[in-house]
Amino acid sequence: MKAKYISGLLFEDGLPNGSYLSSLPAVKHLEAEKELRFSSNVTFFVGENGTGKSTLLEAIAVAFGFNAEGGTRNFCFSTNETHSPLFKSLTLLKRGFAEDGFFLRAESLYNLATNIEQLDRIVAPSPTISASYGGVSLHHQSHGESFLAIVQNRFGGKGLYILDEPEAALSPMRLMTLMSEMDRLVKKDSQFIIATHSPILMTFPEAQILEFSDKGIKEVEYKDTEHFKITKSFLESPERMLRYLLEE
């Protein structure tokens, strides 16, 4: 199952001198290896906080033409321009034309929902933009409900979908719903690139898992990820783990 729309990226030198980006393990890896390849229609970025997963994911999204705070290529709102200049150093290796696409960030979903309502007021009384997101204000739903509403109503297939930490919005049960929606969309010629900490989500069949660490980026099997090992150890003996963690 080859990557449908982006088969990888090339890194070109050009970061500002003294940039904090150069200290991120992911960027150090790219500076050394000069490329990163995607071998599946579903690729997960996993690893510890601070290794550069979301920073690289954001850079890929912006390099592809998505709004940095989320949305499609047609969104251009900005609540606070904090995205890094890393996208300027990336060349995406494209394999085909994506008819659809979306960058969905759990952390900035509120900003996206607000912009949709602002646009609705501009186009009224024409058909509202909210109609393509399920017809119910995203602000009138829970965080998880609004996240899934976007996936289920706005993601149409034949697209590139970039998701940043969906588990921040979704319960374990809703994560399984997301996996079902992903399967539906992959079967409609879609590609996903997802940064996640969820060992549930990582089980998606035939997914490529890229683990970010202080040593760089490497492809790993699901059961070799730290997320799987730690979660398995904890659930097998929570009392033992808690005694270790909380001992005086």
Side-chain angles (χ1 to χ4, degrees), residues 44-48 51 53 196 202 209-212 225 227:
F44 292 118
F45 291 177
V46 309
E48 275 300 322
T51 51
K53 302 183 305 298
T196 184
M202 292 176 209
I209 301 177
L210 297 177
E211 188 168 62
F212 290 52
T225 64
H227 298 75

Side-chain angles (χ1 to χ4, degrees), residues 23 44 50 69 77 97 129 158 160 191-192 200 214 246:
S23 67
F44 292 118
E69 290 187 40
F77 71 94
F97 175 74
I129 296 171
K158 295 184 178 179
L160 174 69
Q191 180 181 357
F192 284 84
I200 293 175
D214 291 340
L246 307 180

